[in-house]
């Protein structure tokens, strides 16, 4: 069964450093998403991406965040200057089209900012 | 806006039924989801129900939807230790662009 993959599974970085989280969505999917889950809290939407541009973003997704689909298969989330409060599990998701009821989630990348 | 609330914790004995409850606020949702998150793992879509349904049964899972009260429940029959996980109620956002998750209910199954 096709699945969304994410790398790395765990990333440790120092405050102020840039990190790039990588995702490979399911190959025929067109809509891509990033979510985050701070430990013990709910899963929060960050951004959705379609046709090489952001289609929606949350208040959390400020100027330090950016997304890119550089090569038609990878979907990346960049955090320019990490803060302690960016420590969380980051989930990538994809779905085929707007009417599809299911978003397929990756296993997540645990980001720890020290 | 969407807001989805759940109780945080439920403990049941193996073999008993579990009922996880959820309230939501967006009455325009065409469908509602239950996602399962096992320890250290991602989010797996467990089941979903269309808003024009009152009930959906899928093997050991029964989903009940009360649109009037905006209440959704997930019943797991014959709960097993492998059912121990966090269960998230969720609804699609505007334009199906995102999923709004509830706070999650941690289900602990006692052998």
């Amino acid at each position: 069964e096709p699945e969304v993959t994410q790398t790395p599974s765990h990333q440790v970085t120092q405050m102020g450093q840039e990190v790039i989280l990588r995702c490979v969505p399911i190959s025929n999917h067109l809509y891509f998403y990033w979510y985050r889950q701070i430990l013990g809290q709910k899963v929060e939407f960050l951004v959705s991406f379609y046709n090489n541009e952001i289609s929606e973003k949350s208040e959390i997704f400020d100027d330090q965040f950016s997304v890119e689909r550089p090569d038609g298969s990878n979907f990346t989330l960049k955090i320019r200057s990490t803060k302690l409060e960016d420590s969380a599990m980051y989930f990538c998701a994809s779905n085929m089209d707007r009417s599809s009821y299911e978003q397929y989630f990756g296993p997540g990348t645990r980001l720890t900012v020290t | 806006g969407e807001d989805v609330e759940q109780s945080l914790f439920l403990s049941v004995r193996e073999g008993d039924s579990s009922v996880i409850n959820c309230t939501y606020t967006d009455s325009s949702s065409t469908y509602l989801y239950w996602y399962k998150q096992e320890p250290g793992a991602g989010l797996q879509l467990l089941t979903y129900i269309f808003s024009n349904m009152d009930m959906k049964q899928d093997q050991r899972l029964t989903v009940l939807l009360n649109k009037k009260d905006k209440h959704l429940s997930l019943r797991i029959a014959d709960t097993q230790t492998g059912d121990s996980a966090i269960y998230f109620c969720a609804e699609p956002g505007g334009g199906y662009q995102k999923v709004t998750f509830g706070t999650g209910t941690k289900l602990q199954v006692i052998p």
Side-chain angles (χ1 to χ4, degrees):
Chain A
E1 188 176 323
E3 57 182 16
V4 177
T5 59
Q6 290 185 242
T7 53
S9 55
H10 190 193
Q11 172 91 48
V12 181
T13 190
Q14 288 191 325
M15 197 166 53
Q17 295 296 304
E18 175 184 284
V19 293
I20 298 176
L21 309 183
R22 290 184 165 80
C23 167
V24 179
I26 294 173
S27 61
N28 61 343
H29 284 188
L30 301 175
Y31 290 79
F32 314 110
Y33 310 82
W34 283 101
Y35 295 80
R36 80 169 185 194
Q37 184 183 29
I38 295 172
L39 187 64
Q41 297 186 23
K42 63 166 73 175
V43 178
E44 301 170 291
F45 168 77
L46 290 178
V47 65
S48 60
F49 191 85
Y50 169 71
N51 201 26
N52 278 322
E53 59 183 28
I54 290 172
S55 45
E56 186 179 358
K57 60 182 181 179
S58 71
E59 291 175 356
I60 304 166
F61 194 88
D62 61 22
D63 291 345
Q64 70 160 343
F65 291 93
S66 62
V67 289
E68 196 178 31
R69 189 157 159 79
D71 56 15
S73 62
N74 289 284
F75 179 50
T76 61
L77 174 68
K78 182 192 289 186
I79 309 174
R80 257 179 278 282
S81 177
T82 50
K83 303 192 274 279
L84 294 177
E85 54 265 37
D86 294 327
S87 294
M89 191 75 139
Y90 288 81
F91 293 104
C92 173
S94 69
N95 68 354
M96 192 178 302
D97 57 47
R98 283 165 64 110
S99 62
S100 172
Y101 63 85
E102 181 170 5
Q103 284 188 14
Y104 292 80
F105 282 80
T109 292
R110 180 166 297 285
L111 176 65
T112 302
V113 183
T114 61
Chain B
E2 309 92 2
D3 198 14
V4 185
E5 298 292 334
Q6 302 175 236
S7 53
L8 292 180
F9 189 75
L10 176 66
S11 179
V12 299
R13 293 210 171 273
E14 190 174 18
D16 288 350
S17 292
S18 309
V19 179
I20 302 170
N21 294 301
C22 166
T23 56
Y24 62 96
T25 55
D26 188 355
S27 58
S28 66
S29 293
T30 307
Y31 40 81
L32 293 145
Y33 312 98
W34 283 103
Y35 276 84
K36 178 182 180 182
Q37 184 182 31
E38 295 183 21
L43 296 153
Q44 175 198 356
L45 181 65
L46 199 58
T47 188
Y48 66 96
I49 186 168
F50 286 105
S51 60
N52 60 359
M53 299 167 67
D54 298 322
M55 184 181 88
K56 179 180 179 182
Q57 186 140 8
D58 184 0
Q59 299 181 331
R60 291 191 298 120
L61 305 178
T62 304
V63 180
L64 295 177
L65 176 60
N66 180 332
K67 284 196 73 176
K68 177 174 166 288
D69 295 336
K70 295 180 188 169
H71 183 264
L72 182 73
S73 68
L74 174 70
R75 179 176 179 270
I76 306 172
D78 187 25
T79 314
Q80 304 297 305
T81 53
D83 294 324
S84 292
I86 300 175
Y87 291 82
F88 292 94
C89 171
E91 60 182 347
Y96 312 109
Q97 292 282 333
K98 65 182 181 184
V99 174
T100 298
F101 288 87
T103 45
T105 299
K106 184 172 183 178
L107 174 65
Q108 179 188 48
V109 182
I110 303 165

